[in-house]
Amino acid sequence: MLAIRRADERGHANHGWLDSYHSFSFADYFDEAHMHYGALRVLNDDRIAGGRGFGAHGHRDMEIVTYVLSGALAHRDSMGNGSTIRPGDVQRMSAGTGVMHSEFNGSPDEEAHLLQIWLLPTQRGGAPGYEEKHFDDADKRGRLRVIASPDGRDGSVTVQADASIHAALIDGDERAQYAVPAGRRVYVQVARGALEVSGERLNTGDAAMIEAETSVVLAKGEDAEVLLFDVA
């Protein structure tokens, strides 16, 4: 079974400096039908104006993954980590018992575009942690590259959650297939471009929720960048 959620069905908040679309209930957006999808709790499509961002604020008991699509994001946290992440970088912060951090657009004038992902942890009260990896376009071209997983397999960042995240770039005749493990569900988010997901046409911002299927096929892409979430 495949259900599609179109981009304009998401929650939306425009604060001037921040233009954000929410796939699941977040902040002032509440939708009882879209609270989470398995361990996938938050999937925000954020555009941050140059020189602006989120001041120091706290998190607990959440696995936070940031995927940059364009621009740069400067990160600082109470664990002493500080870096600027750019397209191809994947950042994981485990909030655990509590962590403070800030995130600002790393450019004074260029917009930063990113996906902010929160995963529900398998256990509460863990130690805070941080990790960052880079994945070139070649790693994702015409294939699903695992970028986050519970066991850190194939060089992915390690998340303390019952979920894995895969990224793909699909264009023209390129095709990628994902074998869905028994009892698992899949959430596909089109970050940009357009493609077919198991025969259904999706455009930028659209998502597919897939259950009781053995495989997912990504094909007929038009400069598409896609994230695929495997959850219980």
Side-chain angles (χ1 to χ4, degrees):
M1 181 183 71
L2 184 151
I4 297 174
R5 190 173 190 214
R6 297 298 179 185
D8 60 3
E9 298 173 356
R10 298 175 295 176
H12 182 220
N14 191 334
H15 303 284
W17 65 272
L18 171 67
D19 191 11
S20 183
Y21 284 88
H22 310 316
S23 296
F24 303 99
S25 294
F26 184 85
D28 293 334
Y29 168 61
F30 178 79
D31 183 346
E32 192 171 4
H34 296 94
M35 296 298 296
H36 65 97
Y37 192 77
L40 179 56
R41 174 60 187 87
V42 167
L43 177 53
N44 289 349
D45 187 341
D46 290 345
R47 293 179 181 270
I48 304 172
R52 302 298 298 272
F54 305 93
H57 60 283
H59 294 284
R60 296 179 62 91
D61 291 320
M62 197 66 67
E63 297 290 296
I64 300 172
V65 177
T66 303
Y67 186 92
V68 179
L69 294 162
S70 65
L73 189 71
H75 168 93
R76 298 290 183 274
D77 65 45
S78 56
M79 295 177 284
N81 300 298
S83 67
T84 299
I85 58 174
R86 296 177 172 84
D89 293 335
V90 176
Q91 178 195 83
R92 183 268 301 168
M93 187 178 74
S94 299
T97 53
V99 65
M100 298 287 292
H101 78 137
S102 64
E103 296 171 299
F104 280 88
N105 188 331
S107 166
D109 46 26
E110 181 184 0
E111 179 182 79
H113 184 198
L114 57 105
L115 296 179
Q116 186 77 243
I117 300 154
W118 294 8
L119 302 172
L120 298 170
T122 50
Q123 292 185 336
R124 297 172 63 86
Y130 181 89
E131 188 179 12
E132 184 181 313
K133 296 283 183 71
H134 181 80
F135 302 91
D136 292 331
D137 282 358
D139 291 334
K140 299 172 281 188
R141 173 59 59 196
R143 64 187 287 257
L144 281 158
R145 173 65 161 94
V146 60
I147 59 172
S149 64
D151 56 3
R153 65 182 180 276
D154 297 333
S156 59
V157 300
T158 303
V159 291
Q160 308 301 317
D162 188 5
S164 62
I165 308 173
H166 307 253
L169 300 174
I170 306 292
D171 192 41
D173 293 333
E174 294 170 343
R175 182 179 186 274
Q177 184 168 352
Y178 185 74
V180 184
R184 306 290 292 184
R185 295 180 287 169
V186 165
Y187 192 96
V188 177
Q189 180 70 40
V190 182
R192 61 179 173 89
L195 81 165
E196 287 189 2
V197 177
S198 296
E200 297 288 342
R201 195 68 179 172
L202 271 66
N203 299 304
T204 301
D206 291 346
M209 294 164 282
I210 301 164
E211 300 184 20
E213 299 288 346
T214 58
S215 68
V216 177
V217 177
L218 309 180
K220 299 182 180 179
E222 298 176 16
D223 193 26
E225 185 161 9
V226 182
L227 291 187
L228 181 150
F229 299 84
D230 177 322
V231 299

